[in-house]
């Protein structure tokens, strides 16, 4: 192993690496029981129209409230869940919880916005994904227009035939799909054009540099104008500063998500942004 590294002759004890693998093992073991033990939570981050400040949608993001390790972010456990296959069960829980929350806001008489759920490549490849989502919506009697799916650019690039079929089924049913983290994969223009999606989300790695780095700005500008030309909506991810907002406006990208507007919020915190439009059913 030390030889393969090339750079050094000796293999030193790597405490950081060991730490990681121990944590992986703990996470993998605990993850299996985490849903049953009610340790998973959803937070919701608003998507905003930067011209009006109006909330146009929400993205559901999962958090794991681990009894010993505290709150674990998805960046740490999603890869573990993907490796073990637990991701599908987890995302089914996310879908059910997010849809149930929307239903609750509706019965409170609130003006709701579509809620987006992130779907992994592994889940996307399941032959029954469309049917199981439709079953859930039917069970909850929830309008499909209130559910949106976010699928990363790279996840959409495997098994193109299957992906196109699923996306077509979803679109026909009224469920919209956004391509997440756009710009980090390598999808071709023609493939992008053949996909029945409604929206591109420009990855935070470009957005966070648009005001400081001319390449990032050029890439963002290109993505925005391309999206406009093929009729796709566009959302800028990870907007943190007023200068970024100003530049996005200049580039005619009017939808944004990021800490500048709001961090992900608990359901109660979100409720404040969803005005009650009728009070008959609230008692
Ligand atoms: P994503 O779908 O691209 O979600 C956006 C991530 O960026 C979230 O991180 C959000 O908290 C963070 N973010 C939003 N605005 C800002 C900002 O202004 N600055 C910075 N620095 N970050 C911002 P989070 O919640 O840690 O989620 C990370 C990723 O984990 C998500 O990226 C998504 O790919 C994945 N994820 C979360 N929930 C799920 C899930 O249920 N299923 C799957 N497959 N993946 C999930
Ligand atoms: Mg997302
Ligand atoms: Mg994203
Ligand atoms: Mg991203």
């Amino acid at each position: 192993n030390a030889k393969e590294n090339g750079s050094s002759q000796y293999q030193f004890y790597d405490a950081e690496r060991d730490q990681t693998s121990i944590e992986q093992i703990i996470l993998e073991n605990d993850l299996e029981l985490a849903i049953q033990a009610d340790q998973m939570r959803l937070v919701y981050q608003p998507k905003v129209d930067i011209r009006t400040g109006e909330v146009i949608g929400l993205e559901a993001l999962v958090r794991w409230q681990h009894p010993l390790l505290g709150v674990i972010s998805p960046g740490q456990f999603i890869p573990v869940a993907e490796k073990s296959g637990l991701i599908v069960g987890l995302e089914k829980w996310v879908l059910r919880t997010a849809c149930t929350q929307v239903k609750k806001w509706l019965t409170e008489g609130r003006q709701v916005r579509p809620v987006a759920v992130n779907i992994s490549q592994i889940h996307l490849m399941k032959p029954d994904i469309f049917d199981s989502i439709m079953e859930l919506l039917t069970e909850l009697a929830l309008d499909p227009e209130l559910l949106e799916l976010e699928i990363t650019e790279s996840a959409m690039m495997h098994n193109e035939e299957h992906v196109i079929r699923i996306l077509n089924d979803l679109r026909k049913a009224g469920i919209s799909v956004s391509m997440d983290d756009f710009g980090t994969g390598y999808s071709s223009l023609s493939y992008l054009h053949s996909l029945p999606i409604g929206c591109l989300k420009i990855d935070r790695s470009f957005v966070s540099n648009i005001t400081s780095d001319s390449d990032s700005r050029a890439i963002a500008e290109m993505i925005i104008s391309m999206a406009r030309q093929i009729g796709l909506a566009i959302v800028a991810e990870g907007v943190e500063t007023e200068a970024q907002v100003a530049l996005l406006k200049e580039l005619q990208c009017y939808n944004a998500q990021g800490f500048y507007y709001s961090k992900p919020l608990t359901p109660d915190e979100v409720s404040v942004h969803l005005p009650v439009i009728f009070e008959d059913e609230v008692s």
Side-chain angles (χ1 to χ4, degrees), residues 42-43 45 59-63 73-75 78 82 87 90-91 94 117-121 150 152 180-181 201 203-204 237-240 257-260 262-264:
L42 288 186
V43 285
Q45 187 175 38
E59 177 174 8
L61 295 159
V62 67
R63 299 287 178 267
S73 66
I78 294 285
E82 284 178 334
I87 188 75
L90 174 64
E91 286 175 350
V94 172
V117 168
N118 293 284
I119 299 291
S120 63
Q121 188 204 323
E150 291 190 9
T152 62
D180 207 351
D181 301 349
K201 298 187 77 180
D203 192 64
R204 176 161 60 91
E237 293 189 308
V239 174
E240 292 181 347
Q257 187 180 346
F259 297 165
Y260 177 77
S262 173
K263 63 181 182 24

Side-chain angles (χ1 to χ4, degrees), residues 59-115:
E59 177 174 8
L61 295 159
V62 67
R63 299 287 178 267
W64 181 5
Q65 183 68 58
H66 191 282
L68 296 176
L69 302 174
V71 178
I72 308 177
S73 66
Q76 286 172 274
F77 65 86
I78 294 285
V80 179
E82 284 178 334
K83 234 177 72 193
S84 58
L86 293 167
I87 188 75
V88 177
L90 174 64
E91 286 175 350
K92 285 187 174 185
W93 177 88
V94 172
L95 279 163
R96 174 172 291 274
T97 305
C99 289
T100 304
Q101 182 62 60
V102 175
K103 195 71 199 174
K104 182 164 178 277
W105 281 322
L106 278 172
T107 53
E108 288 171 0
R110 294 183 189 281
Q111 186 180 354
V112 297
R113 295 290 178 234
V115 170

Side-chain angles (χ1 to χ4, degrees), residues 5-62:
N5 285 342
S7 54
S8 76
Q9 279 226 337
Y10 305 97
Q11 185 71 50
F12 292 102
Y13 173 70
D14 184 346
E16 198 174 303
R17 176 140 157 257
D18 243 10
Q19 186 71 32
T20 314
S21 53
I22 292 167
E23 264 176 32
Q24 299 285 93
I25 294 164
I26 297 175
L27 291 187
E28 204 170 317
N29 273 311
D30 292 2
L31 195 55
E32 195 152 8
L33 298 168
I35 294 175
Q36 300 166 43
D38 196 28
Q39 292 168 6
M40 293 296 176
R41 295 285 177 272
L42 288 186
V43 285
Y44 299 86
Q45 187 175 38
K47 300 179 187 181
V48 173
D49 181 329
I50 67 180
R51 291 166 297 191
T52 60
E54 192 193 350
V55 175
I56 53 169
L58 298 165
E59 177 174 8
L61 295 159
V62 67

Side-chain angles (χ1 to χ4, degrees), residues 1-276:
N1 211 354
K3 245 184 193 160
E4 279 167 31
N5 285 342
S7 54
S8 76
Q9 279 226 337
Y10 305 97
Q11 185 71 50
F12 292 102
Y13 173 70
D14 184 346
E16 198 174 303
R17 176 140 157 257
D18 243 10
Q19 186 71 32
T20 314
S21 53
I22 292 167
E23 264 176 32
Q24 299 285 93
I25 294 164
I26 297 175
L27 291 187
E28 204 170 317
N29 273 311
D30 292 2
L31 195 55
E32 195 152 8
L33 298 168
I35 294 175
Q36 300 166 43
D38 196 28
Q39 292 168 6
M40 293 296 176
R41 295 285 177 272
L42 288 186
V43 285
Y44 299 86
Q45 187 175 38
K47 300 179 187 181
V48 173
D49 181 329
I50 67 180
R51 291 166 297 191
T52 60
E54 192 193 350
V55 175
I56 53 169
L58 298 165
E59 177 174 8
L61 295 159
V62 67
R63 299 287 178 267
W64 181 5
Q65 183 68 58
H66 191 282
L68 296 176
L69 302 174
V71 178
I72 308 177
S73 66
Q76 286 172 274
F77 65 86
I78 294 285
V80 179
E82 284 178 334
K83 234 177 72 193
S84 58
L86 293 167
I87 188 75
V88 177
L90 174 64
E91 286 175 350
K92 285 187 174 185
W93 177 88
V94 172
L95 279 163
R96 174 172 291 274
T97 305
C99 289
T100 304
Q101 182 62 60
V102 175
K103 195 71 199 174
K104 182 164 178 277
W105 281 322
L106 278 172
T107 53
E108 288 171 0
R110 294 183 189 281
Q111 186 180 354
V112 297
R113 295 290 178 234
V115 170
V117 168
N118 293 284
I119 299 291
S120 63
Q121 188 204 323
I122 296 167
H123 194 176
L124 183 65
M125 288 309 149
K126 292 285 168 202
D128 71 334
I129 181 173
F130 175 73
D131 290 341
S132 72
I133 290 176
M134 292 315 291
E135 257 170 51
L136 175 68
L137 293 173
T138 307
E139 180 195 325
L140 297 174
L142 186 69
D143 181 354
E145 307 274 344
L146 292 175
L147 177 63
E148 194 182 305
L149 304 181
E150 291 190 9
I151 301 171
T152 62
E153 181 181 18
S154 48
M156 286 201 200
M157 284 165 65
H158 299 263
N159 197 342
E160 303 186 359
E161 234 172 78
H162 172 83
V163 168
I164 291 174
R165 193 173 58 244
I166 297 291
L167 297 189
N168 266 320
D169 288 349
L170 290 165
R171 164 175 280 191
K172 272 186 232 148
I175 299 167
S176 57
V177 174
S178 295
M179 192 182 271
D180 207 351
D181 301 349
F182 185 74
T184 60
Y186 301 91
S187 51
S188 69
L189 259 183
S190 62
Y191 182 50
L192 188 63
H193 190 60
S194 72
L195 286 177
I197 54 172
C199 176
L200 293 183
K201 298 187 77 180
I202 312 178
D203 192 64
R204 176 161 60 91
S205 57
F206 303 112
V207 175
S208 54
N209 292 321
I210 48 171
T211 54
S212 57
D213 170 47
S214 58
D215 286 350
S216 297
R217 185 196 152 131
I219 292 169
E221 195 167 354
M222 212 181 60
I223 295 173
I224 293 162
S225 74
M226 178 195 69
R228 187 177 323 110
Q229 281 169 47
I230 61 178
L232 292 177
I234 191 134
V235 175
E237 293 189 308
V239 174
E240 292 181 347
T241 68
E242 196 160 356
Q244 288 165 356
V245 174
L247 186 51
L248 287 169
K249 255 187 214 159
E250 205 182 305
L251 301 180
Q252 298 177 48
C253 170
Y254 299 122
N255 299 329
Q257 187 180 346
F259 297 165
Y260 177 77
Y261 291 101
S262 173
K263 63 181 182 24
L265 305 170
T266 64
D268 282 347
E269 290 168 334
V270 177
S271 299
V272 177
H273 296 276
L274 303 174
V276 175

